[in-house]
Amino acid sequence: DAGITQSPRYKITETGRQVTLMCHQTWSHSYMFWYRQDLGHGLRLIYYSAAADITDKGEVPDGYVVSRSKTENFPLTLESATRSQTSVYFCASRDGGGKTEAFFGQGTRLTVV
Amino acid sequence: QQQVKQSPQSLIVQKGGISIINCAYENTAFDYFPWYQQFPGKGPALLIAIRPDVSEKKEGRFTISFNKSAKQFSLHIMDSQPGDSATYFCAASRDGGYQKVTFGTGTKLQVIP
């Protein structure tokens, strides 16, 4: 199916554990993004990627690591999860060439206990 | 630092009424102002967007009003329907690039029959 998919949809992990959230898009969009959504903060950009092997920090990158070895995948890793990273995480993608609309995945609800 | 301020945080409107959500921005370099709609359990989806060279844009029951001098823009939903119940986010960006987008904190709209 075409689109952007995130996995898992729900995840509970313990403080200090490493956890990876997956994002896959089938459009071959150039840009991919990771946001976190928290009540009272809206959507905040964690990391983004303009193309394979090109990534850059967003507004709240601390504690997160990303990679993009293939255009279609953009995993987000929490190296040592903390309770403050409990959030809903959204992946998004956008085509290049001046097109502005981004398409979001359905989100991953992560709880760190 | 909140560069896009959104109000109200929540809104209850009677079916058939007008829903109004306001946003104000600080950075005069912003040149693209999208509104996103998010239903529970789903990712945000682009609803309507405007650029600062026009003062109003209408798509069906949804209208964006833009006041460049006041650095404010608003979303009006005419003839609000229960199906419009969702969270709405305004956003602003430079150069149409999503790596620079800033989201408002969101407005939860409930349309009651």
Side-chain angles (χ1 to χ4, degrees):
Chain A
D1 291 339
I4 182 165
T5 55
Q6 293 182 233
S7 62
R9 290 294 311 277
Y10 304 92
K11 176 76 176 177
I12 299 174
T13 191
E14 295 179 340
T15 300
R17 289 195 179 266
Q18 182 181 81
V19 60
T20 296
L21 310 183
M22 305 301 293
C23 179
H24 175 80
Q25 52 105 354
T26 60
W27 296 300
S28 297
H29 283 171
S30 302
Y31 289 91
M32 296 189 74
F33 312 87
W34 275 106
Y35 291 89
R36 60 177 290 172
Q37 183 176 20
D38 304 289
L39 196 63
H41 290 278
L43 290 152
R44 292 182 291 175
L45 182 64
I46 304 171
Y47 268 96
Y48 70 97
S49 169
D53 296 321
I54 301 175
T55 62
D56 206 348
K57 297 177 180 179
E59 181 185 354
V60 288
D62 292 344
Y64 303 95
V65 174
V66 293
S67 62
R68 196 170 176 203
S69 58
K70 294 183 179 180
T71 300
E72 61 267 29
N73 297 322
F74 191 39
L76 175 74
T77 298
L78 288 68
E79 293 188 301
S80 178
T82 65
R83 288 185 179 151
S84 65
Q85 293 177 310
T86 293
S87 185
V88 180
Y89 292 85
F90 287 99
C91 178
S93 71
R94 175 177 71 83
D95 200 357
K99 296 179 181 178
T100 50
E101 181 178 1
F103 297 87
F104 284 79
Q106 291 198 321
T108 295
R109 181 175 293 276
L110 175 68
T111 302
V112 182
V113 298
Chain B
Q1 182 182 3
Q2 185 63 41
Q3 294 189 52
V4 179
K5 295 183 178 179
Q6 182 172 349
S7 64
Q9 187 173 356
S10 63
L11 182 62
I12 299 175
V13 175
Q14 207 83 49
K15 178 183 175 181
I18 302 174
S19 303
I20 302 174
I21 304 171
N22 300 301
C23 285
Y25 64 96
E26 299 171 3
N27 189 342
T28 55
F30 288 145
D31 60 1
Y32 178 68
F33 301 89
W35 284 87
Y36 277 79
Q37 181 187 53
Q38 183 182 27
F39 293 106
K42 303 292 185 182
L46 181 66
L47 180 65
I48 187 173
I50 197 169
R51 292 195 181 275
D53 52 345
V54 297
S55 60
E56 185 175 282
K57 182 174 182 179
K58 184 176 181 180
E59 290 185 0
R61 296 184 294 108
F62 300 91
T63 299
I64 300 178
S65 297
F66 187 82
N67 186 329
K68 189 174 181 180
S69 60
K71 295 187 285 186
Q72 295 175 348
F73 58 111
S74 60
L75 175 69
H76 291 64
I77 306 174
M78 311 301 288
D79 187 27
S80 298
Q81 299 296 312
D84 297 330
S85 298
T87 299
Y88 293 82
F89 293 94
C90 62
S93 68
R94 297 175 57 185
D95 304 319
Y98 261 82
Q99 64 269 31
K100 299 179 179 66
V101 75
T102 300
F103 284 89
T105 51
T107 296
K108 187 173 183 179
L109 171 66
Q110 184 181 359
V111 181
I112 55 177

